[in-house]
Amino acid sequence: MTHAWLFTGPPGSGRSAAAKAFAAALLCPHQGCGHCDSCHQIEVGSHPDLESVRPQGLSYSVKQTRELILRAAGRATLGGWRIVLFEDADRATEQAANALLKAIEEPPPRTVWLLCAPAADDMIITIRSRCRVVTLRTPSTQAVAHVLTTRDNVPHPIAESAARASQGHLARARRLALDESVRQRRDAVLSLPRTLTGVGECITAAERLVKTADEDAAAATTELNETEISELRALYGEGSSGKGLNKGLIRGGAGALKELENAQKSRATRIKRESLDLALLDLMALYRDVLAVQFGAQVELANEDRRSDLDVLARAGTPEDTLRRVDAIMLCRERLAANVNPQMAVEAMTLSLRNPRG
């Protein structure tokens, strides 16, 4: 047993689920039975000795990290372990990572840190060297399809198609299998390459992708933002009256409100970026399948159900053309991660996806 663990693996490999299961094994009297009160509290996120953190914005600040470290320093309520489950720990800023390092170097007794990141290299080497690394792999199509059919009662053909399309990402596969609108959104993205016949079509396609990402961010945040702002204003006494009301408290809420609005903008940007990135990953999978068809490779195709489109795209260019398009998608992902204007980044990509012979 050690005090710091790093769970790594590609999206959909179940990093946070594995970390949560390990936390249950430590806190449950029966080593994670899945049925007792302790396991239930862990599952719903209410266990007093489990601090679960997932950055909502683009990054996790040093201020948030220091507050987390203070909470982690408390004694275990039930006399066992005090556990901090830090999802997406790779989003910690450089200053935050340095603060986290100090906490991991000198942890309080019986405090365990469970960090999750896509790869060990995403964490600074000094943190990585102090953690025991648990590397997970992407589950197979058959395994994901089995979960969908047995747990969610999804018909086998739909489950298998969703499992292939998600490339082993279970949460993505569930959304595809259970939500018709998600499948329609993906179909719209995969239909783009055949429409990119000119500059105007490329610009229009880019606008459509960015607009869809904006709509996703608005749908996910509008109601939550309003609730958070209302609660904060109530906390600082806005709308209250009476002799005992502290007017300074109301004025002091302006800074807190500004801080909340900045956090909300960061959250919306993250959701928009994730929506765009998901579309780009779908396009990557499409061109990966095109390349497989061009070479006659006997591999599972993520888009087998669109075989006619794959054949058309494969005949329309060479393997070199396909690799150039894959590079354009990867460059777009890098630019979005570097905070380049989304419209400009996506337009550059769609222009590069045009068929040079078209």
Side-chain angles (χ1 to χ4, degrees), residues 59-321:
S59 62
Y60 200 72
S61 68
V62 65
K63 177 183 176 182
Q64 292 172 305
T65 302
R66 287 169 178 162
E67 292 172 350
L68 175 62
I69 292 170
L70 286 176
R71 296 196 300 272
R75 289 190 177 186
T77 303
L78 302 181
W81 300 95
R82 177 72 173 166
I83 300 176
V84 182
L85 198 170
F86 194 167
E87 300 182 43
D88 297 332
D90 54 300
R91 288 187 185 169
T93 64
E94 183 178 354
Q95 287 182 315
N98 289 329
L100 183 61
L101 171 62
K102 294 179 180 179
I104 291 177
E105 283 180 327
E106 301 175 3
R110 301 190 70 78
T111 293
V112 180
W113 289 84
L114 307 181
L115 311 180
C116 302
D121 290 342
D122 290 325
M123 303 301 297
I124 60 174
I125 190 171
T126 44
I127 287 182
R128 196 166 70 233
S129 64
R130 287 163 175 78
C131 296
R132 187 169 297 174
V133 179
V134 179
T135 303
L136 306 176
R137 65 178 185 177
T138 302
S140 67
T141 296
Q142 293 74 21
V144 173
H146 176 73
V147 171
L148 294 176
T149 54
T150 56
R151 190 180 69 182
D152 299 303
N153 297 319
V154 176
H156 183 72
I158 296 178
E160 191 170 9
S161 177
R164 279 199 310 270
S166 70
Q167 301 178 76
H169 195 306
L170 181 56
R172 167 75 165 153
R174 289 190 76 247
R175 290 194 293 271
L176 283 168
L178 300 175
D179 192 333
E180 176 66 25
S181 65
V182 174
R183 293 197 293 272
Q184 292 175 352
R185 184 78 58 83
R186 178 174 178 272
D187 286 341
V189 170
L190 297 179
S191 298
L192 284 178
R194 294 189 63 180
T195 69
L196 303 178
T197 56
V199 173
E201 289 79 5
C202 292
I203 301 300
T204 299
E207 290 176 347
R208 192 156 58 244
L209 282 174
V210 174
K211 181 180 179 181
T212 299
D214 285 332
E215 291 171 350
D216 288 343
T221 61
T222 299
E223 185 175 348
L224 178 59
N225 288 352
E226 291 174 354
T227 300
E228 290 175 341
I229 290 174
S230 296
E231 291 177 349
L232 183 65
R233 285 174 171 166
L235 178 66
Y236 278 88
E238 184 172 314
S240 302
S241 61
K243 294 182 179 179
L245 183 63
N246 188 337
K247 301 299 182 182
L249 186 61
I250 296 177
R251 290 193 297 271
L257 182 60
K258 182 64 175 178
E259 185 176 339
L260 174 61
E261 289 174 346
N262 290 336
Q264 290 176 342
K265 289 179 182 177
S266 178
R267 180 171 60 198
T269 301
R270 178 184 61 79
I271 294 172
K272 177 179 178 178
R273 188 177 293 178
E274 288 178 348
S275 177
L276 274 173
D277 195 59
L278 186 58
L280 298 184
L281 289 175
D282 282 337
L283 286 173
M284 282 273 293
L286 181 74
Y287 283 110
R288 175 260 190 192
D289 287 350
V290 170
L291 194 64
V293 171
Q294 288 172 326
F295 281 114
Q298 299 302 309
V299 296
E300 181 182 73
L301 301 179
N303 300 280
E304 181 65 49
D305 55 337
R306 304 181 69 91
R307 187 57 189 254
S308 61
D309 286 351
L310 297 177
D311 290 337
V312 169
L313 291 170
R315 290 193 299 267
T318 65
E320 290 78 10
D321 293 331

